[in-house]
Amino acid sequence: MLVRAGRCAAGAEAFLASAEHVPEDSRAEVLRQAADAWMAAGYIDRGLDLLRPMLRAEGVWWPRSPLLAVFALLWTYARLRLRGIEVRGEVAPTEAQLRRVDLCWSVGMGLTNTMPADGMLFAVRAVLAALQAGEPGRVGRGLAVLGAFHRLIGRAEVGARFVQRAREIAEARDDPQLLGLTYVCSAADAMITGDWRECVARTAKGLDALSAPRAGMPWERVLGACFELTALDQLGRFVDVERRAGEHLRDAEARGDLYGLVVFSQFFAQARVAAGDLAAARHYARDSVRRWTQRSYTLQHFYALRVEVCCDLYDGEVHRADSRLRERWPSIVGAGLLRNPISRIDALLLRARCALARGDRRGAMRVACRLGCESRHDAALHARWIRARAAPSRARADAELAAAADGFQAAGMTLAAWSIEQRRAGADLERRARAERALRELGVSDPERWQRVFLP
């Protein structure tokens, strides 16, 4: 009951306490449930300390590096495609089969949004094991999660088929938790393509389904909230980001959800940068990583770094921002975060902004070339304004800025559009004032200083 109420850390403690008093043949499953609850709550070190010995006992190999995890993921995915996604056979699954499914799922669920390659590898393994066991509910949740993965490898139509099959399973079983997960995972697909407004709409559907009494309050709701906030952040709706992140942050604190505390603190911190409250932004960013795992460099470490770099740029501390990013770049690369399109584009934008701020036009142009090769629509728009800022010709620069602003406006990314408009206004005071009013309505307290962060 504690886990279904969203109090996963308390649930993990309860499982551990009960493991001392159950029969020996039931103890391993109780410990797995404890590990699952730790992972759902974001205590990934504690969860993995319990899960690794169980995985070894099951003969499940754990890659020793993010690169090996990518190779293992591709191999395991190829096996899944060859096997197909239909549940076969009428024989009831054995306890051993379900244990293997659930062990892999516990790792996949806990790591997909922190160490993406490892997390997705174990999610695929969980689907394969669930198909072998013939258990539809476990198959459905895995297919939903794998839906967005196909967008990354250029097979969006296959991903849509996976999510649709998961939705059919959810409807056949009248399972609101799985149904909500399908909407959340379809939001991830919109997020990868940069359709931020559609991402917000899909997460709203998912969170609505997950609010049903029988859905409980598991990690799926936190995942959906993260996708919603990512989209709002990209749209530049910082007033909404601060409000929603604050609500989720208070809820996570009440439930003892470490993962929620960390990620919602970072979204809240980013909104405080726009508001000019750098002390609060740095506090929330630093406090989030202080609480988080120190064993591996994860997405959460990168997004705390992003807040710090933005604070430095806002303060005019260009060299500090650049040094901070350069120091951590090997960790970003080593953790495989440049293989994830969301974090890759965010990291490249930080590099471009630091390069422009220190006057390195060639460095900024190199980043613009990389962004121009991304499949995400708004990455090409970012490449345009970076080229404009790095261009020696003012006439060419203004044309590029105008095209980027039009594209951002059409995509609903109004903060980016108005930031460019303010920059283009020049000495036109009326035009500048109109842009600054729009920026303030979106949560930017000092538009002039904000340009140091967004459009240096």
PDB file of all heavy atoms in Angstrom, residues 7 19 28 49 66 70 122 134 137 146 165 167 201 282 288 291 317-318 345 368 378 402-403 454:
ATOM      1  N   ARG A   7       4.673   6.371  -1.701  1.00  0.00           N
ATOM      2  CA  ARG A   7       5.685   6.473  -0.629  1.00  0.00           C
ATOM      3  C   ARG A   7       6.635   5.284  -0.771  1.00  0.00           C
ATOM      4  O   ARG A   7       6.679   4.375   0.064  1.00  0.00           O
ATOM      5  CB  ARG A   7       5.006   6.507   0.726  1.00  0.00           C
ATOM      6  CG  ARG A   7       4.102   7.728   0.921  1.00  0.00           C
ATOM      7  CD  ARG A   7       3.454   7.726   2.296  1.00  0.00           C
ATOM      8  NE  ARG A   7       4.460   7.714   3.336  1.00  0.00           N
ATOM      9  CZ  ARG A   7       4.209   7.346   4.605  1.00  0.00           C
ATOM     10  NH1 ARG A   7       2.994   6.938   4.941  1.00  0.00           N
ATOM     11  NH2 ARG A   7       5.177   7.346   5.497  1.00  0.00           N
ATOM     12  N   ALA A  19      11.395  -8.844   5.303  1.00  0.00           N
ATOM     13  CA  ALA A  19      12.222  -9.913   4.739  1.00  0.00           C
ATOM     14  C   ALA A  19      12.856 -10.784   5.823  1.00  0.00           C
ATOM     15  O   ALA A  19      13.191 -11.950   5.580  1.00  0.00           O
ATOM     16  CB  ALA A  19      13.310  -9.318   3.847  1.00  0.00           C
ATOM     17  N   ALA A  28      13.731 -13.843  -1.285  1.00  0.00           N
ATOM     18  CA  ALA A  28      14.313 -13.194  -2.461  1.00  0.00           C
ATOM     19  C   ALA A  28      13.307 -12.267  -3.131  1.00  0.00           C
ATOM     20  O   ALA A  28      13.651 -11.156  -3.565  1.00  0.00           O
ATOM     21  CB  ALA A  28      14.804 -14.247  -3.456  1.00  0.00           C
ATOM     22  N   ASP A  49      22.374  -2.104  -5.091  1.00  0.00           N
ATOM     23  CA  ASP A  49      23.100  -2.976  -4.163  1.00  0.00           C
ATOM     24  C   ASP A  49      22.321  -4.258  -3.892  1.00  0.00           C
ATOM     25  O   ASP A  49      22.912  -5.324  -3.671  1.00  0.00           O
ATOM     26  CB  ASP A  49      23.365  -2.237  -2.845  1.00  0.00           C
ATOM     27  CG  ASP A  49      24.478  -1.203  -2.972  1.00  0.00           C
ATOM     28  OD1 ASP A  49      25.234  -1.247  -3.972  1.00  0.00           O
ATOM     29  OD2 ASP A  49      24.587  -0.332  -2.084  1.00  0.00           O
ATOM     30  N   PRO A  66      29.093   2.532 -20.385  1.00  0.00           N
ATOM     31  CA  PRO A  66      27.956   2.966 -21.218  1.00  0.00           C
ATOM     32  C   PRO A  66      28.065   2.498 -22.663  1.00  0.00           C
ATOM     33  O   PRO A  66      27.060   2.176 -23.295  1.00  0.00           O
ATOM     34  CB  PRO A  66      28.014   4.493 -21.111  1.00  0.00           C
ATOM     35  CG  PRO A  66      28.687   4.761 -19.798  1.00  0.00           C
ATOM     36  CD  PRO A  66      29.708   3.665 -19.665  1.00  0.00           C
ATOM     37  N   VAL A  70      25.407   0.168 -24.822  1.00  0.00           N
ATOM     38  CA  VAL A  70      24.815   0.474 -26.134  1.00  0.00           C
ATOM     39  C   VAL A  70      24.891  -0.749 -27.043  1.00  0.00           C
ATOM     40  O   VAL A  70      23.910  -1.125 -27.699  1.00  0.00           O
ATOM     41  CB  VAL A  70      25.526   1.674 -26.789  1.00  0.00           C
ATOM     42  CG1 VAL A  70      25.065   1.846 -28.225  1.00  0.00           C
ATOM     43  CG2 VAL A  70      25.241   2.947 -25.992  1.00  0.00           C
ATOM     44  N   PHE A 122      17.942  -2.899 -20.017  1.00  0.00           N
ATOM     45  CA  PHE A 122      17.195  -3.767 -19.115  1.00  0.00           C
ATOM     46  C   PHE A 122      15.699  -3.724 -19.405  1.00  0.00           C
ATOM     47  O   PHE A 122      14.988  -4.706 -19.167  1.00  0.00           O
ATOM     48  CB  PHE A 122      17.507  -3.412 -17.661  1.00  0.00           C
ATOM     49  CG  PHE A 122      18.781  -4.026 -17.169  1.00  0.00           C
ATOM     50  CD1 PHE A 122      19.986  -3.351 -17.293  1.00  0.00           C
ATOM     51  CD2 PHE A 122      18.785  -5.293 -16.622  1.00  0.00           C
ATOM     52  CE1 PHE A 122      21.174  -3.933 -16.866  1.00  0.00           C
ATOM     53  CE2 PHE A 122      19.966  -5.885 -16.187  1.00  0.00           C
ATOM     54  CZ  PHE A 122      21.173  -5.212 -16.313  1.00  0.00           C
ATOM     55  N   GLY A 134       4.948 -15.104 -21.326  1.00  0.00           N
ATOM     56  CA  GLY A 134       3.568 -15.019 -21.784  1.00  0.00           C
ATOM     57  C   GLY A 134       2.665 -14.246 -20.848  1.00  0.00           C
ATOM     58  O   GLY A 134       1.473 -14.564 -20.726  1.00  0.00           O
ATOM     59  N   GLY A 137       0.416  -8.216 -19.122  1.00  0.00           N
ATOM     60  CA  GLY A 137       0.580  -6.941 -18.426  1.00  0.00           C
ATOM     61  C   GLY A 137       2.017  -6.478 -18.419  1.00  0.00           C
ATOM     62  O   GLY A 137       2.317  -5.292 -18.670  1.00  0.00           O
ATOM     63  N   LEU A 146       9.334   1.081 -24.764  1.00  0.00           N
ATOM     64  CA  LEU A 146      10.178   0.958 -25.954  1.00  0.00           C
ATOM     65  C   LEU A 146       9.653   1.761 -27.143  1.00  0.00           C
ATOM     66  O   LEU A 146      10.360   1.921 -28.133  1.00  0.00           O
ATOM     67  CB  LEU A 146      10.302  -0.508 -26.366  1.00  0.00           C
ATOM     68  CG  LEU A 146      11.097  -1.405 -25.423  1.00  0.00           C
ATOM     69  CD1 LEU A 146      11.196  -2.802 -25.991  1.00  0.00           C
ATOM     70  CD2 LEU A 146      12.481  -0.843 -25.185  1.00  0.00           C
ATOM     71  N   ARG A 165       0.020  -1.405 -29.405  1.00  0.00           N
ATOM     72  CA  ARG A 165      -0.200  -2.752 -28.851  1.00  0.00           C
ATOM     73  C   ARG A 165      -0.291  -2.684 -27.329  1.00  0.00           C
ATOM     74  O   ARG A 165      -1.137  -3.367 -26.713  1.00  0.00           O
ATOM     75  CB  ARG A 165       0.957  -3.679 -29.267  1.00  0.00           C
ATOM     76  CG  ARG A 165       0.788  -5.114 -28.771  1.00  0.00           C
ATOM     77  CD  ARG A 165      -0.338  -5.813 -29.492  1.00  0.00           C
ATOM     78  NE  ARG A 165      -0.618  -7.112 -28.909  1.00  0.00           N
ATOM     79  CZ  ARG A 165      -1.712  -7.416 -28.217  1.00  0.00           C
ATOM     80  NH1 ARG A 165      -2.662  -6.495 -28.045  1.00  0.00           N
ATOM     81  NH2 ARG A 165      -1.878  -8.613 -27.724  1.00  0.00           N
ATOM     82  N   ARG A 167      -1.393  -0.170 -25.635  1.00  0.00           N
ATOM     83  CA  ARG A 167      -2.690   0.438 -25.323  1.00  0.00           C
ATOM     84  C   ARG A 167      -3.817  -0.586 -25.456  1.00  0.00           C
ATOM     85  O   ARG A 167      -4.758  -0.604 -24.654  1.00  0.00           O
ATOM     86  CB  ARG A 167      -2.919   1.645 -26.238  1.00  0.00           C
ATOM     87  CG  ARG A 167      -4.046   2.556 -25.800  1.00  0.00           C
ATOM     88  CD  ARG A 167      -3.950   3.893 -26.508  1.00  0.00           C
ATOM     89  NE  ARG A 167      -2.766   4.623 -26.107  1.00  0.00           N
ATOM     90  CZ  ARG A 167      -2.155   5.549 -26.828  1.00  0.00           C
ATOM     91  NH1 ARG A 167      -2.609   5.861 -28.025  1.00  0.00           N
ATOM     92  NH2 ARG A 167      -1.083   6.170 -26.371  1.00  0.00           N
ATOM     93  N   ALA A 201       0.345  18.117 -24.278  1.00  0.00           N
ATOM     94  CA  ALA A 201      -1.014  17.564 -24.404  1.00  0.00           C
ATOM     95  C   ALA A 201      -1.038  16.073 -24.069  1.00  0.00           C
ATOM     96  O   ALA A 201      -1.953  15.595 -23.374  1.00  0.00           O
ATOM     97  CB  ALA A 201      -1.535  17.790 -25.821  1.00  0.00           C
ATOM     98  N   ARG A 282      21.120  28.391  -7.672  1.00  0.00           N
ATOM     99  CA  ARG A 282      22.308  27.606  -7.318  1.00  0.00           C
ATOM    100  C   ARG A 282      22.017  26.684  -6.133  1.00  0.00           C
ATOM    101  O   ARG A 282      22.483  25.541  -6.089  1.00  0.00           O
ATOM    102  CB  ARG A 282      23.477  28.536  -6.982  1.00  0.00           C
ATOM    103  CG  ARG A 282      24.043  29.292  -8.178  1.00  0.00           C
ATOM    104  CD  ARG A 282      25.321  30.004  -7.779  1.00  0.00           C
ATOM    105  NE  ARG A 282      25.753  30.982  -8.755  1.00  0.00           N
ATOM    106  CZ  ARG A 282      26.483  30.722  -9.837  1.00  0.00           C
ATOM    107  NH1 ARG A 282      26.819  29.459 -10.093  1.00  0.00           N
ATOM    108  NH2 ARG A 282      26.853  31.689 -10.660  1.00  0.00           N
ATOM    109  N   SER A 288      20.338  19.380  -5.094  1.00  0.00           N
ATOM    110  CA  SER A 288      19.858  18.198  -5.811  1.00  0.00           C
ATOM    111  C   SER A 288      20.983  17.184  -6.016  1.00  0.00           C
ATOM    112  O   SER A 288      20.789  15.978  -5.802  1.00  0.00           O
ATOM    113  CB  SER A 288      19.251  18.608  -7.160  1.00  0.00           C
ATOM    114  OG  SER A 288      20.238  19.041  -8.072  1.00  0.00           O
ATOM    115  N   ARG A 291      22.208  15.304  -2.820  1.00  0.00           N
ATOM    116  CA  ARG A 291      21.368  14.177  -2.405  1.00  0.00           C
ATOM    117  C   ARG A 291      21.530  12.966  -3.332  1.00  0.00           C
ATOM    118  O   ARG A 291      21.195  11.854  -2.947  1.00  0.00           O
ATOM    119  CB  ARG A 291      19.889  14.587  -2.452  1.00  0.00           C
ATOM    120  CG  ARG A 291      19.486  15.716  -1.511  1.00  0.00           C
ATOM    121  CD  ARG A 291      18.102  16.209  -1.896  1.00  0.00           C
ATOM    122  NE  ARG A 291      17.617  17.313  -1.095  1.00  0.00           N
ATOM    123  CZ  ARG A 291      16.670  17.204  -0.164  1.00  0.00           C
ATOM    124  NH1 ARG A 291      16.121  16.031   0.087  1.00  0.00           N
ATOM    125  NH2 ARG A 291      16.273  18.255   0.521  1.00  0.00           N
ATOM    126  N   GLU A 317      29.919  36.038 -15.723  1.00  0.00           N
ATOM    127  CA  GLU A 317      31.144  35.294 -15.419  1.00  0.00           C
ATOM    128  C   GLU A 317      31.402  34.278 -16.539  1.00  0.00           C
ATOM    129  O   GLU A 317      31.253  33.066 -16.371  1.00  0.00           O
ATOM    130  CB  GLU A 317      31.001  34.592 -14.063  1.00  0.00           C
ATOM    131  CG  GLU A 317      30.845  35.522 -12.885  1.00  0.00           C
ATOM    132  CD  GLU A 317      32.153  36.230 -12.544  1.00  0.00           C
ATOM    133  OE1 GLU A 317      33.203  35.837 -13.093  1.00  0.00           O
ATOM    134  OE2 GLU A 317      32.120  37.166 -11.728  1.00  0.00           O
ATOM    135  N   VAL A 318      31.801  34.804 -17.682  1.00  0.00           N
ATOM    136  CA  VAL A 318      31.920  33.971 -18.887  1.00  0.00           C
ATOM    137  C   VAL A 318      32.977  32.892 -18.729  1.00  0.00           C
ATOM    138  O   VAL A 318      32.747  31.716 -19.051  1.00  0.00           O
ATOM    139  CB  VAL A 318      32.239  34.853 -20.109  1.00  0.00           C
ATOM    140  CG1 VAL A 318      32.519  33.990 -21.335  1.00  0.00           C
ATOM    141  CG2 VAL A 318      31.103  35.822 -20.368  1.00  0.00           C
ATOM    142  N   ILE A 345      21.446  17.814 -27.331  1.00  0.00           N
ATOM    143  CA  ILE A 345      21.141  19.149 -27.850  1.00  0.00           C
ATOM    144  C   ILE A 345      21.302  20.193 -26.756  1.00  0.00           C
ATOM    145  O   ILE A 345      21.855  21.279 -26.989  1.00  0.00           O
ATOM    146  CB  ILE A 345      19.735  19.170 -28.472  1.00  0.00           C
ATOM    147  CG1 ILE A 345      19.730  18.338 -29.758  1.00  0.00           C
ATOM    148  CG2 ILE A 345      19.286  20.604 -28.775  1.00  0.00           C
ATOM    149  CD1 ILE A 345      18.367  18.104 -30.357  1.00  0.00           C
ATOM    150  N   ALA A 368      27.026  24.867 -34.303  1.00  0.00           N
ATOM    151  CA  ALA A 368      25.878  25.100 -35.180  1.00  0.00           C
ATOM    152  C   ALA A 368      25.799  24.023 -36.263  1.00  0.00           C
ATOM    153  O   ALA A 368      24.707  23.553 -36.610  1.00  0.00           O
ATOM    154  CB  ALA A 368      25.963  26.484 -35.808  1.00  0.00           C
ATOM    155  N   ASP A 378      13.566  21.981 -33.868  1.00  0.00           N
ATOM    156  CA  ASP A 378      14.036  23.214 -33.230  1.00  0.00           C
ATOM    157  C   ASP A 378      15.554  23.275 -33.140  1.00  0.00           C
ATOM    158  O   ASP A 378      16.124  24.356 -32.953  1.00  0.00           O
ATOM    159  CB  ASP A 378      13.399  23.394 -31.847  1.00  0.00           C
ATOM    160  CG  ASP A 378      13.746  22.276 -30.892  1.00  0.00           C
ATOM    161  OD1 ASP A 378      13.511  21.112 -31.243  1.00  0.00           O
ATOM    162  OD2 ASP A 378      14.230  22.556 -29.784  1.00  0.00           O
ATOM    163  N   ALA A 402      15.857  36.468 -38.186  1.00  0.00           N
ATOM    164  CA  ALA A 402      14.443  36.596 -38.537  1.00  0.00           C
ATOM    165  C   ALA A 402      13.840  35.233 -38.863  1.00  0.00           C
ATOM    166  O   ALA A 402      12.725  34.897 -38.413  1.00  0.00           O
ATOM    167  CB  ALA A 402      14.274  37.538 -39.717  1.00  0.00           C
ATOM    168  N   ALA A 403      14.573  34.434 -39.628  1.00  0.00           N
ATOM    169  CA  ALA A 403      14.083  33.098 -39.987  1.00  0.00           C
ATOM    170  C   ALA A 403      13.954  32.216 -38.748  1.00  0.00           C
ATOM    171  O   ALA A 403      12.981  31.462 -38.598  1.00  0.00           O
ATOM    172  CB  ALA A 403      15.024  32.458 -41.002  1.00  0.00           C
ATOM    173  N   PHE A 454      20.703  33.319 -22.914  1.00  0.00           N
ATOM    174  CA  PHE A 454      19.998  32.703 -24.047  1.00  0.00           C
ATOM    175  C   PHE A 454      20.588  33.054 -25.396  1.00  0.00           C
ATOM    176  O   PHE A 454      20.677  32.206 -26.280  1.00  0.00           O
ATOM    177  CB  PHE A 454      18.521  33.097 -24.008  1.00  0.00           C
ATOM    178  CG  PHE A 454      17.679  32.249 -24.909  1.00  0.00           C
ATOM    179  CD1 PHE A 454      17.198  31.028 -24.454  1.00  0.00           C
ATOM    180  CD2 PHE A 454      17.389  32.643 -26.204  1.00  0.00           C
ATOM    181  CE1 PHE A 454      16.440  30.213 -25.284  1.00  0.00           C
ATOM    182  CE2 PHE A 454      16.638  31.840 -27.044  1.00  0.00           C
ATOM    183  CZ  PHE A 454      16.153  30.614 -26.584  1.00  0.00           C
TER     184      PHE A 454
END
